[in-house]
Amino acid sequence: MRLSKIIILCLFLVLFVVSAFPQQDYVGRWDAYGGFSFLSTGKLNLFERGFHGQAGFNLNKWLALGFDFSTFDGHSSILPEMLNSSTQVKLGQGMAALIQAGLVPQGYSLYVPYSVRTYTYAGGPQINIRHFKQVTFFIHPDLGAMHQDTTMKPTDPIQTVIVGGLLGSSPKTSDTVPFYGVGGGIDLNVHKNLSLKLHADFVHTKLYSGLLDGGENNIRFSVGPVFHFGKNVAK
């Protein structure tokens, strides 16, 4: 009983605070955003920097439809424990042959550097909360596709042999997979036609399932200006 009273009191306070502040009186039909972004894939120790862009169409004050695009570049190193079981077996066989041939120095630790370029494409609805004049809160589902181009960059003969055994004659490979997750953030409204967007997304992918072990959780963060224009849909 006490908990229900506390919840009702909190809801009352929220409604009171919201009603006490001036709300936005202009919401443009169109939004356009572009800013600096980074993409972090902790499981692969991969951190990429790049660009994030959006175009949005506001159906009304609280609901929008939009398209989302981002591109990133980064580099890291792949380790044996990041590979799936079948690839690890194949890797072990290759390393055993090299050791038997006396080509692996004592204490050698295998890793292979690589560089990546990543693209993401998404579209769908977004819910906007415009109860405050100076800030807009938003949340949306993340449903889309991620494409990644990877170039292995072996630095010694052992790495070169291993890469050739796993990928063939070319050190380059690519993959395109769907992703899903959730995103959100805030727009700090500098002017009725200009805001500063702070945006974060959490998405799950399963890139290179023939090589890597399991899926990846990715975090994207971006910041930049968003421009509002067109017919006022707030009225």
Side-chain angles (χ1 to χ4, degrees), residues 115 118 173 228:
S115 64
T118 303
T173 185
H228 317 288

Side-chain angles (χ1 to χ4, degrees), residues 44-152:
L44 301 178
N45 194 30
L46 177 60
F47 186 88
E48 304 172 67
R49 298 175 177 85
F51 170 81
H52 178 202
Q54 291 180 327
F57 178 81
N58 289 299
L59 296 170
N60 52 45
K61 192 173 182 178
W62 60 272
L63 181 62
L65 298 176
F67 174 76
D68 182 296
F69 168 79
S70 58
T71 179
F72 306 92
D73 290 288
H75 56 86
S76 186
S77 294
I78 191 165
L79 305 176
E81 56 264 30
M82 297 175 180
L83 304 174
N84 60 34
S85 57
S86 61
T87 306
Q88 287 191 25
V89 170
K90 190 175 181 180
L91 174 64
Q93 293 171 344
M95 287 297 293
L98 291 172
I99 292 171
Q100 192 172 20
L103 299 177
V104 180
Q106 186 174 4
Y108 182 83
S109 180
L110 179 63
Y111 69 95
V112 180
Y114 66 91
S115 64
V116 298
R117 174 162 290 178
T118 303
Y119 304 90
T120 70
Y121 310 87
Q126 175 172 288
I127 295 175
N128 300 298
I129 302 172
R130 304 181 186 274
H131 289 300
F132 303 99
K133 191 175 184 66
Q134 300 303 324
V135 61
T136 301
F137 300 91
F138 60 88
I139 187 169
H140 58 79
D142 279 325
L143 298 171
M146 178 180 291
H147 176 84
Q148 193 170 88
D149 297 316
T150 301
T151 302
M152 309 305 295

Side-chain angles (χ1 to χ4, degrees), residues 90 112 152 154 157-171:
K90 190 175 181 180
V112 180
M152 309 305 295
I158 297 173
Q159 294 178 1
T160 301
V161 171
I162 293 300
V163 169
L166 295 179
L167 297 182
S169 58
S170 175

